[in-house]
Structures are given as structure tokens and as C-alpha cells.
Amino acid sequence: MSTSAMTTAIMDEETCVQLIKPHVQSTDVVVSSIGKLTHFLYTHCARDLNFYFRHGMGYASAFALGMAISQPERRVIALDGDGSALMNSQSMAAIADVNPPNLKYVIFNNGCYESTGGQPLPSGGTLDLCKIAEGMGLRNVSQVDTLDEVDRTLETFFSAPGCALLVLKVQPNLKHFPLVSPPFDANEMKYRFLSAMKDGGGEGAVVESAAAALPLRSGRKTKGCTR
Amino acid sequence: MPNCSQEIVARLKQSQISVAASVPELMFRDVLNLLDEDKEISHVRLAREDDGVALCAGAFFGGKRGVVVMQNSGLLLSGNAIVNVALLNRAPFLGLVSFRGNINEKFFYQMPQGQVTIPFLNALSVPNTVIDTPDKLPLINEAASFAFAGHTPYILLITQGVLI
């Protein structure tokens, strides 16, 4: 989707996830944090190599780091909310320490806990995630504030080599309740994910993992879910 | 004859563990140095222990086996990540945890966590075993085997005196 086709769109999480979608390659792993990002990733970019956090606020970034270390040939994209990023912000220091070249970390900054009704984040609206990230030692930190800039910035962000963090300054949008959760449980997501890793040329140990997950598979297929 | 820290790292490698996440603990000083130097294990230094649980979950879904090295204070901190990341997603990891506040403890302020550590793990249904003598270090291999075959965390609690 181009910005020209979205002249009436506002720069919110949903619009930005739609704009990120064309940049996702078939072998990428995409990790989404709980709440609306999992909702929008599943709604607009459902694929088996997505790891949807349903619970465990604050842990998507550390999970993505572990994935990036374990799959150095594969790009890992982490989609995090500002509340989640703030909750375990110290994970940025670990990411900076490792500096995995295959990790792209995107934080959606809407200034509030949107998934729980829009309560404001602490910091009185002055939270500057770029300063936090740079203070933690991350290189390649940038922020986009307007929809006009998003396409060009995403192109640079995803095409440039190296670990990078992009903060998207988005507007809160509270019209999406109740949220749509992917219609499969954690066991089925595990089976789907590990099978896709295996089929997509994942490393050998994944085969063992997928086989162990197999007995718990429900066998349901999800409409529109592609790899 | 390797010392206990060398034996621990050797047993982690025998167990195909190739990712380690740690928050420093004095007892594991030599283990952490060995992990830093090891070419076969990716060692990530963390600021909080619960990130280690999530990191090992990511490593597992990426096809690697992980260990979190920490004090039991950090284990108590990690309850949310253990339940809502590791148990929810059946993402195994091995926990190499100092059992402070147990036998040989010299500091009163460690005692409360020593009293609640095993009840905490049992409440979470996380399998655990105490290593209180060096001759029990082979349990590292057994615990890793249990964790990665059963897709569950397994916590080894190592008392004061085994390492230092």
C-alpha cells in the first residue's frame, strides 16, 4: 500500500502495519507484542513465521533477540508497543551488546496503553524512546512522525544492513475493540511456526522441536493464513 | 581434572546448549568468564533475568537450546516470564540458579528467598533439583535432557560451597 492510496488514513498502528507488510520477506520471522500489534499483524499479514505474543507483556524484544542469535541467516522483525518496550526497556542494552545484524526492531509509540483502553503511559507524555535506545547503546536509531515520511523511511530501514531501531510516532486509535486474536492456541502456533521454519530451511534442531510439538496439533487450518 | 565451573560449561555443551543468558552472580563468576570465552556458546549479558527466559524461548523457536544463569532472586523476578512465555508456549530452557539463603549461606538478607524458592517453583509446576555437592553436577545433563525432551523449563538450584 502506498501513502498516495492512503490520503485519508491516519498514522496509527494499523496503517503502519499495512505499510510494513510489503517489506516482509517470506523467510523473515516477525514477532509481535501483545494486544493490538498481534491483532493487526494477524489481520493484515498472517503467516506461519509470525510469532504472536498473546501474553507476556514486555518480552517480545528479548524473544526476538534470542531468535536473531539462533537464526543468523534469517531476518527477524520485532513489532513492539511503547508500553511493552518501556516495561522491559533494559532488553535494549542486551540488543545493543549483541548488535545482531539481522534484527530490525520497530516500536509503535502512541503514548498510551491502547489495548487496555488508552490509559496514558507514565512520563507525562514526554517519553523519548530514541533517547532511551541511544542511551542503551543502540546504533541506527530513527523516528518517523508523519505518514508522508513512513514509506521512504521503511524502505531505508529494511534495506540497510545491520541492527536498527525505528520508532513510529502513531496516533492512538481506540475503535478496534474487541480485538481479534489469532484463532489458534499456543500449541498450534508452535506447530505452525516450527514447521514453517523447517520448510523454510531452518537449522536442524528445529526438526526435533517440530516433531515434539506434533502430537498437540489441533489440525485446524486458518483462513487466509499463508506462509 | 576440570574444576566445577569447567565441568558445568562442559556439561552444558554436552547437552547441546548453545545460547546462554546471564545476570551476574558471584558464585558463577568463573562460569560466566568461561561462557564469555567459549566459541560454541553465544553468551548474552542481561540486565534482568526475566529477559533471559524470553531470550531462551526465542532461541528455542530458532532451533537452539538455551540456559539462563542467575541468582534465585532473579528466578523469583522471572515468574511472569516463566508462566506466560515459557510454560504458555512450551518453550524449554535450563535454569542454572544459585540457591542463596540455603545451607552455607552467611548473609541474613539472603534467607527469605532461600525459604521460598522451592515452594515458588513447585507452585509454578516447574521441575527442579538441588545440587549441593560437586558429585551431583552430572544432573545438569539429566535436567537438560528432561527440559528439551519435555518442552518445559527445568531449574537446577546450586547451593553455596559447590562452586565457591
Side-chain angles (χ1 to χ4, degrees):
Chain A
M1 186 181 299
S2 69
T3 48
S4 60
M6 302 176 64
T7 50
T8 59
I10 60 170
M11 182 154 164
D12 62 5
E13 288 176 321
E14 182 169 27
T15 302
C16 288
V17 168
Q18 290 175 281
L19 290 170
I20 287 171
K21 180 181 180 180
H23 297 279
V24 176
Q25 299 168 4
S26 62
T27 55
D28 290 347
V29 167
V30 185
V31 181
S32 58
S33 67
I34 66 166
K36 295 192 82 170
L37 285 169
T38 279
H39 163 83
F40 289 131
L41 182 64
Y42 177 73
T43 301
H44 296 294
C45 189
R47 50 200 288 284
D48 285 353
L49 278 177
N50 292 347
F51 189 95
Y52 306 101
F53 267 78
R54 317 294 185 91
H55 208 355
M57 185 173 177
Y59 296 124
S61 55
F63 181 97
L65 176 59
M67 175 64 69
I69 291 169
S70 300
Q71 290 280 318
E73 305 302 320
R74 194 186 291 274
R75 191 168 66 173
V76 180
I77 302 168
L79 306 180
D80 214 355
D82 49 357
S84 293
L86 186 61
M87 180 173 277
N88 276 46
S89 55
Q90 74 287 333
S91 67
M92 292 185 201
I95 293 171
D97 214 16
V98 177
N99 195 26
N102 56 332
L103 178 58
K104 301 292 184 186
Y105 186 15
V106 184
I107 302 177
F108 295 72
N109 182 357
N110 60 13
C112 68
Y113 297 99
E114 194 171 305
S115 299
T116 53
Q119 301 86 349
L121 259 67
S123 80
T126 63
L127 183 69
D128 189 333
L129 286 161
C130 288
K131 282 186 180 174
I132 292 173
E134 287 168 350
M136 293 278 186
L138 281 167
R139 300 92 161 160
N140 302 324
V141 175
S142 54
Q143 176 167 317
V144 180
D145 297 302
T146 65
L147 198 54
D148 290 342
E149 300 172 273
V150 173
D151 255 351
R152 182 170 46 83
T153 304
L154 287 174
E155 183 65 39
T156 304
F157 176 72
F158 283 113
S159 60
C163 181
L165 168 68
L166 175 63
V167 176
L168 298 171
K169 191 77 179 75
V170 294
Q171 298 176 34
N173 190 340
L174 299 173
K175 69 179 183 184
H176 294 286
F177 291 95
L179 295 177
V180 174
S181 186
F184 41 82
D185 68 6
N187 288 323
E188 183 163 347
M189 181 178 73
K190 181 178 186 177
Y191 174 81
R192 287 168 177 267
F193 186 94
L194 294 176
S195 297
M197 289 283 277
K198 174 172 165 280
D199 295 344
E203 294 183 20
V206 170
V207 178
E208 171 195 47
S209 304
L214 186 59
L216 293 168
R217 186 190 185 196
S218 73
R220 260 184 308 130
K221 279 286 178 189
T222 305
K223 184 181 178 185
C225 194
T226 56
R227 187 170 303 143
Chain B
M1 190 68 180
N3 64 33
C4 288
S5 296
Q6 290 169 327
E7 181 177 345
I8 285 173
V9 174
R11 293 189 178 281
L12 294 177
K13 291 164 72 170
Q14 288 166 12
S15 304
Q16 290 98 51
I17 286 172
S18 59
V19 175
S22 72
V23 174
E25 152 68 311
L26 182 61
M27 181 194 296
F28 292 127
R29 178 185 53 197
D30 292 341
V31 171
L32 299 180
N33 287 337
L34 290 168
L35 290 173
D36 268 340
E37 295 164 3
D38 200 283
K39 299 281 188 277
E40 298 171 33
I41 296 179
S42 299
H43 179 205
V44 183
R45 291 180 289 270
L46 298 173
R48 266 174 58 134
E49 296 84 350
D50 52 345
D51 280 345
V53 176
L55 188 146
C56 284
F60 171 75
F61 276 84
K64 305 294 185 189
R65 296 180 171 193
V67 61
V68 186
V69 185
M70 57 186 158
Q71 189 182 107
N72 46 342
S73 54
L75 178 72
L76 297 178
L77 170 73
S78 302
N80 180 24
I82 291 172
V83 174
N84 292 318
V85 179
L87 295 179
L88 172 64
N89 296 293
R90 298 184 65 232
F93 70 94
L94 183 67
L96 207 59
V97 179
S98 62
F99 198 175
R100 302 300 302 269
N102 201 268
I103 58 170
N104 294 324
E105 182 62 64
K106 297 177 178 63
F107 300 104
F108 73 91
Y109 48 79
Q110 298 281 5
M111 303 307 181
Q113 65 181 10
Q115 296 300 305
V116 304
T117 296
I118 289 177
F120 169 79
L121 288 170
N122 290 342
L124 269 47
S125 299
V126 172
N128 58 88
T129 298
V130 175
I131 292 180
D132 52 8
T133 57
D135 63 353
K136 292 182 181 173
L137 287 175
L139 287 170
I140 290 171
N141 303 60
E142 302 296 328
S145 177
F146 189 109
F148 294 102
H151 288 208
T152 177
Y154 198 110
I155 304 299
L156 289 170
L157 298 164
I158 303 181
T159 63
Q160 299 266 77
V162 174
L163 293 175
I164 57 171

